[in-house]
Structure formats: C-alpha cells, structure tokens
C-alpha cells in the first residue's frame, strides 16, 4: 500500500485494480493522442493549403503548429510516465512483490501462476470485467466479505 499524490488517495488491495486501469488507460489514450497529432502534423505539412485555411479570424497562424508540437510533447511525457507506472504496477502484481520488497530482497512470494496473481488483484474468476472499473469480487465475494475483521480495526 502507498499514498499516491497523483490520485490523492492510498493505493492498496481494495483499489489497486482501479489504479492500474487508470494509469493503463491514460497511457493508452496518450498514445492515441500522439497518433492523432502526428497524423494531423503530417497532413498539414503535406497539404500547405490545410495550414493556410481561412477562418472567420483570417488565415490560420503558424502558432497552431507550435500548439500541436507542444501537445505532442505533453502526450509523450504523459504517455511515458503512465506507461512506466503501469509496467511497475503490473510487475508488482505478477511477481506478488512491491518495489521495496524487490529492493530489500526480504520476501519470498508464494509460487503462483501469473493468472493467479492477476486474479488476486482483478478478481476471480478471470473475465472481461477485469478491463472495467468494477468492484473486485472473488467468486461473488468482495474483500469486505472475505476479511470482515480487517475493516473493523
């Protein structure tokens, strides 16, 4: 468990699925934005008339190219950051170790398959609901049903 200032919340067993989906989908959409911006830049450079289209304000300024490059840079930074966060979270789930446990090398996780480790975070049984921000269930039970004393402490 750790506090994430980016989402202003603690990320732990009950909401790790939602955090992983959040950073994964943010990385995916950053990549999509980069593709759209590159296509727009290529179309603008190949067709100068697109660059000089007139609007009610007059000809389009070259400043719009600067805006597109700045947006591309922002999408690249966001994409790199969220991709790194997604890979780190996925690695922690698959190895059943946090980053600190890996650095300290003081925890021997139980031997389980990747699907079993993913099921501990995304719920059982394996389903398409893993891709949606739904409550994590384990054969119909939630964390609150499985560990009733944990939330009373």
């Amino acid at each position: 468990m750790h506090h994430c200032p980016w989402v202003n919340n603690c990320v732990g067993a009950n909401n790790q699925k939602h955090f992983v989906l959040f950073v994964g989908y943010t990385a995916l959409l950053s990549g999509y934005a980069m593709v759209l911006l590159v296509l727009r830049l290529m179309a603008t450079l190949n067709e100068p008339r697109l660059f000089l289209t007139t609007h009610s304000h007059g000809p389009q300024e070259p400043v719009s190219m600067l805006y597109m490059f700045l947006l591309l840079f922002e999408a690249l930074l966001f994409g790199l950051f969220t991709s790194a966060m997604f890979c780190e979270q996925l690695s922690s789930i698959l190895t059943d170790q946090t980053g600190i446990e890996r650095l300290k090398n003081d925890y021997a996780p139980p031997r389980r398959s990747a699907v079993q480790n993913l099921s501990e975070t995304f719920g059982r049984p394996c389903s398409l609901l893993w891709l949606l921000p739904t409550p994590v269930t384990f054969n119909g039970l939630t964390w609150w049903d499985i560990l009733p004393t944990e939330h009373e402490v």
Side-chain angles (χ1 to χ4, degrees), residues 66-121:
L66 176 65
Y67 289 152
M68 282 194 277
F69 279 114
L70 288 174
L71 283 172
L72 185 62
F73 180 69
E74 182 182 7
L76 180 67
L77 286 180
F78 244 82
L80 289 174
F81 175 71
T82 55
S83 294
M85 291 290 293
F86 179 72
C87 289
E88 189 275 329
Q89 288 291 309
L90 204 55
S91 172
S92 291
I93 292 169
L94 292 174
T95 60
D96 195 23
Q97 283 185 313
T98 65
I100 292 176
E101 289 170 340
R102 277 193 300 273
L103 288 173
K104 285 184 168 181
N105 207 16
D106 67 349
Y107 172 71
R111 291 213 172 263
R112 291 188 292 226
S113 71
V115 173
Q116 287 172 323
N117 285 338
L118 286 168
S119 293
E120 288 298 316
T121 300

